[in-house]
Structure formats: C-alpha cells, structure tokens
Amino acid sequence: MPPVWDLPHRLHVQSSDDPWDVIPSLAAAPFLSGELPAARMVTLPDALSARAVAPEGVVEREVVSDRWGERLLVRSGKAVAMVEHRPTEGATVWIVAADAGAADNLADTVRARAGAGEEEPEAVPVEFWYATPRGPRSVSRSIDAPAWEEIEPNYGAAVHAQLAGLVGSARPSGQGRLVLWHGEPGTGKTTAIRALARSWRAWCRTLFVVDPEAFFGQADYLLDVLLDRAPGVDRTVDRATQWRLVVIEDVDELLRADARQLSGQALGRLLNLTDGMIGQGLNVLLLLTTNEPVTRLHPAVVRPGRCLAEVAFSPLSVAEAHAWLGGGGPRPGRPLTLAELYALRSGPSGPSGAVDVRARGDGPYL
C-alpha cells in the first residue's frame, strides 16, 4: 500500500455547485497535496462577522449569501484560512499551515481577534448537540439570556429562594451532579435555564442535547460528548477548571417511575452519569426538566444525595399573580402560571388570546 500522501485525490466542481460550495475545496487542496499539512479548527460562537475574526492577509475568495452567511478564503503568510460565519451560529475558522507551530499561532491570533470585540453580557454561547450517521455534531450559537435580577419577580417565594441560591453558587463541591427542575408547563423553567447559563458562564460551558433518546440510548454518543471526543470541540480549554452544564429538556418518559421498562438502559446511564463510574472525574452537571410532578418520578432519580438542586416550579399564588400584574384590576381567582400572566398582560389580542383567570369550577370571577 502506498504512503498516505501518495494516495490519489481529486476535487470535482459540478454544474450544481455554487461559489459557496467551492471555497472549502480550495481550502482543502493544499492540505491534501501536503503543501500545508497541519490543520486546526476554531469555533467562535460570539463572532459578529467573518472579517471580524479573519486573520490578517489577502482575501483570495469571498462569498456572501442571504441564506447561509459569509465565507472567506484568506492567505496569511504561508497559511490558508477559511472563515465561515452564520448569523445564528457565529464563526468557524479552518486553518491549514506548513507546520503545527504556525497553525497554532494563527489559531491563537484568530481567538484573540474574536475576544477583542465588545462582549455582550446578555449573549451566552450554547452548544447544541445532536447525533448524525457520522457521529455526534454540535452547532454553537449565542442566545439572549436575561440576568437573574430581571426575572426574579416571575417566581413565587418558594421557587425564588431555591433558584437564587443556585444561580449565585460557584463551582459545586461534594456529591450531587444532577439539577432537576419539575413542574407544569409555562412556569418559567426554560427562562431560568437561560439566566443560569448567563450567571455561570465564567466557569461553566452550557451544552444543550437536542435528542435525549439518542444521547442516553447510544453509549458512544454520550461518551463522545462527555469526553470531548467529538469533532469541532475546542481542546484549548482547561478541563481541570472548566465545568460543563448539560441541559436536556422535557425528559418526562425517561424519569417516570416505569422508566426502566420503557427506556431500557437509558435511565441507568443517566444515573451513572450523575454519581456513578461514568461521571467520576468529569466536571459535568446534568440539568433535566420535566412536566411530571415529583410523585411520578422514578425514586432512584430523586433519592437523597443525587441532586445538587431539585426545584419544583409552580404557578404564582393569587396574591403573587395580582402583584405581578401591577396590583390593579380584579384579583385572579386562582394561581396563574408565568405563561398565563404574560398572555394576560398582552390582552385578548395577544398571541395566546384571552386567559380565563376565574377560580376552578363554576365559581364566579373574583
């Protein structure tokens, strides 16, 4: 068998290809030929444009697409960089250089250019993970996240006390790697996740798993994400100090009392991740949300010592809902969820229409 660098390779451009498709091939050509054998990939979810993070050099090719975003091919000294920017995902930079040192230096330059921009505190980078036939992949996006102080009034006294302690906490110590949030829909669980990600961003990356069934059902997918083995992972981060918060929403079926019959090994892997052998030595927290009441959850999930925090989200009481609405007008006749309160504030013409705030049953509106 001939050496790998002697293997034949061809790059074809077809009539169906557009300029957007051609640039990656041009960037790959010197790597395949061996002219520039060292490659690096840098992910920059907060980048505002391709040119904002592109290295200094000559822009050989440029494509701007209303649908996809921007792609640049930049020759910087003896290296070549392809910069791709998508408005909802930030930028990814592929670098090919003559040697590892040159590739690392250019990658550091690109990261420095990205960090030189003005940081928006409300924009929090989140990695969205999903399974593909070629293994797990992620898309990094910056999402708008409110500060905890902005959303505090959205939660009743009991929920507020639990969330405030969690949001203000530093790196966890001791046992408990599971954060369990449960409660009926519309009580503000997703909003609280965004605020938590913003509060913890200095010491914790946020990962969102799009397909929880595959994540817990496929051991290789779970381990690739937990061990940072998947393509595109930034391996310059100090794993000894950097924590990761893995967020999985609406895992009702996985957490029910009959989960072992319905979900097979998925529940076992979940439990093993939080305080078993899989999770040992990993700076990983798992945040799960469910609409199920705690009485319907599997007892192994809520046993003492497993949870770093268990928060039961509930509607605001009549008095809290009345205060949230500004104290004017008639008092609601029953507790109201956050979703109902926002719908009430927007009025009958709002996206959700009118909300019935009368007491449950046939009682009059109070």
Side-chain angles (χ1 to χ4, degrees):
M1 180 177 178
V4 65
W5 49 85
D6 289 340
L7 291 177
H9 55 270
R10 295 183 178 89
L11 298 176
H12 294 282
V13 178
Q14 306 179 46
S15 59
S16 60
D17 292 326
D18 57 30
W20 181 268
D21 301 315
V22 172
I23 289 184
S25 298
L26 295 176
F31 178 74
L32 292 172
S33 69
E35 176 189 354
L36 300 175
R40 300 292 185 269
M41 185 169 71
V42 181
T43 302
L44 307 167
D46 292 329
L48 299 179
S49 69
R51 287 187 177 271
V53 297
E56 297 289 342
V58 179
V59 178
E60 301 280 2
R61 299 287 192 278
E62 178 181 16
V63 177
V64 179
S65 167
D66 289 342
R67 180 179 182 185
W68 301 113
E70 306 170 83
R71 269 183 179 169
L72 302 179
L73 187 67
V74 181
R75 184 170 290 277
S76 180
K78 295 183 178 181
V80 172
M82 188 196 82
V83 185
E84 177 181 307
H85 178 267
R86 298 180 185 240
T88 60
E89 301 174 13
T92 303
V93 184
W94 286 266
I95 296 167
V96 291
D99 55 61
D104 288 335
N105 289 338
L106 196 56
D108 290 341
T109 299
V110 167
R111 294 188 186 97
R113 288 176 63 85
E118 183 177 351
E119 183 175 323
E120 300 179 16
E122 69 277 5
V124 176
V126 177
E127 302 167 28
F128 293 85
W129 285 90
Y130 58 97
T132 75
R134 299 179 63 183
R137 295 291 186 273
S138 70
V139 172
S140 294
R141 291 179 49 204
S142 290
I143 64 169
D144 290 334
W148 166 243
E149 294 76 16
E150 298 172 9
I151 64 170
E152 281 185 283
N154 293 342
Y155 303 95
V159 179
H160 178 279
Q162 292 177 289
L163 288 179
L166 187 63
V167 168
S169 63
R171 294 170 178 82
S173 59
Q175 294 185 339
R177 293 290 185 266
L178 175 62
V179 178
L180 178 61
W181 290 357
H182 53 89
E184 63 181 275
T187 48
K189 295 187 289 293
T190 299
T191 302
I193 290 173
R194 291 159 50 214
L196 184 67
R198 175 172 172 171
S199 178
W200 286 2
R201 66 180 299 177
W203 58 272
C204 187
R205 289 161 47 202
T206 300
L207 288 63
F208 187 95
V209 175
V210 177
D211 46 2
E213 297 84 0
F215 181 72
F216 289 115
Q218 302 174 18
D220 53 347
Y221 177 14
L222 184 145
L223 290 175
D224 280 347
V225 174
L226 296 181
L227 302 178
D228 281 340
R229 300 189 312 199
V233 170
D234 184 0
R235 292 178 173 82
T236 64
V237 175
D238 185 357
R239 304 301 175 204
T241 60
Q242 184 76 31
W243 282 74
R244 285 168 290 165
L245 175 66
V246 180
V247 178
I248 308 180
E249 289 194 290
D250 300 323
V251 288
D252 301 29
E253 292 185 2
L254 191 61
L255 300 182
R256 290 191 186 119
D258 57 357
R260 286 200 182 274
Q261 289 81 16
L262 297 177
S263 304
Q265 295 181 334
L267 178 62
R269 290 197 179 108
L270 183 158
L271 300 176
N272 207 310
L273 170 59
T274 57
D275 62 359
M277 290 296 293
I278 295 178
Q280 293 299 309
L282 297 178
N283 292 340
V284 174
L285 296 170
L286 183 63
L287 193 158
L288 304 179
T289 73
T290 175
N291 296 327
E292 295 283 349
V294 68
T295 54
R296 295 184 185 175
L297 301 182
H298 197 285
V301 176
V302 294
R303 72 155 175 78
R306 191 178 298 278
C307 293
L308 173 67
E310 178 196 330
V311 181
F313 285 72
S314 59
L316 273 69
S317 68
V318 171
E320 291 167 339
H322 190 239
W324 191 95
L325 292 168
R331 291 167 62 88
R334 60 176 176 85
L336 296 176
T337 66
L338 187 59
E340 291 174 323
L341 288 169
Y342 273 108
L344 267 178
R345 176 176 285 179
S346 63
S349 61
S352 301
V355 175
D356 182 2
V357 295
R358 295 174 295 179
R360 302 292 189 189
D362 298 326
Y365 178 83
L366 300 176

